[in-house]
Amino acid sequence: MDEGKRQFAVFFEEPFWVGVFEEITDGSLSVCKVTFGKEPTEEELWAFVLRNYHKLRFSPSVRVEVKQDAKNPKRRQREAKKQLSAKGIGTKSQQALQLQREQNKLERKIIGKEAKEAEKQRQYALKTQKRKDKHRGK
């Protein structure tokens, strides 16, 4: 189900101010026209909508083609890339292999970090031992 879109426009139509409510749901458009006397303020409009929206009588719905807003081509390209990367391309077995490779990569990363840390500790121990030996005059 498409999400509904509602618009409210106020304009001056000689000699009165007129408000037009438009409601687009599932590709069908319904309209309601409200006539105001003098120019309404924003507060008056808001109060009117809150009090009377449920009482408004909309026209019978007319099928319309909802026009999609044109998006920036770079943004469209980014969105397409994002969808492809999220879904993944290939057969189920290829996706399973890719998942396995990613897990192996994480494991190697963890093992590599631990090895680096161990080497750092070993180097530090050697350096401190060397200093102690030097201090003792060996």
Side-chain angles (χ1 to χ4, degrees):
M1 180 174 162
D2 291 345
E3 61 183 47
K5 181 179 178 182
R6 292 180 176 86
Q7 288 183 332
F8 179 52
V10 177
F11 53 91
F12 185 70
E13 193 174 86
E14 196 67 44
F16 302 110
W17 285 88
V18 175
V20 176
F21 289 90
E22 292 180 357
E23 191 176 81
I24 300 173
T25 11
D26 295 332
S28 59
L29 170 72
S30 296
V31 181
C32 179
K33 179 179 174 184
V34 178
T35 305
F36 299 103
K38 61 183 178 100
E39 181 178 5
T41 62
E42 285 187 30
E43 292 81 23
E44 291 171 340
L45 290 172
W46 183 243
F48 176 82
V49 170
L50 290 177
R51 267 183 305 187
N52 302 316
Y53 187 78
H54 65 283
K55 296 178 193 172
L56 295 177
R57 295 186 53 168
F58 284 87
S59 68
S61 46
V62 179
R63 294 295 293 164
V64 290
E65 191 165 316
V66 181
K67 195 168 60 169
Q68 294 294 329
D69 295 335
K71 289 186 178 178
N72 185 321
K74 286 184 180 179
R75 180 181 302 277
R76 282 193 315 232
Q77 189 176 21
R78 256 184 267 129
E79 288 172 353
K81 185 177 180 182
K82 188 176 176 182
Q83 286 177 353
L84 284 176
S85 68
K87 184 181 172 190
I89 300 175
T91 64
K92 295 281 186 194
S93 54
Q94 287 173 333
Q95 290 174 359
L97 286 172
Q98 182 63 31
L99 186 63
Q100 185 182 15
R101 279 193 290 268
E102 288 171 6
Q103 287 174 346
N104 289 343
K105 182 179 174 182
L106 288 175
E107 287 173 13
R108 280 195 314 272
K109 204 173 190 179
I110 291 169
I111 291 170
K113 274 186 182 179
E114 289 172 355
K116 252 186 205 175
E117 190 61 36
E119 181 62 24
K120 221 180 210 182
Q121 290 289 335
R122 191 182 71 75
Q123 290 288 340
Y124 181 74
L126 275 173
K127 194 159 66 171
T128 53
Q129 186 61 41
K130 216 174 188 180
R131 268 197 224 133
K132 284 181 183 175
D133 290 345
K134 237 181 191 178
H135 187 68
R136 290 185 184 146
K138 290 185 182 181

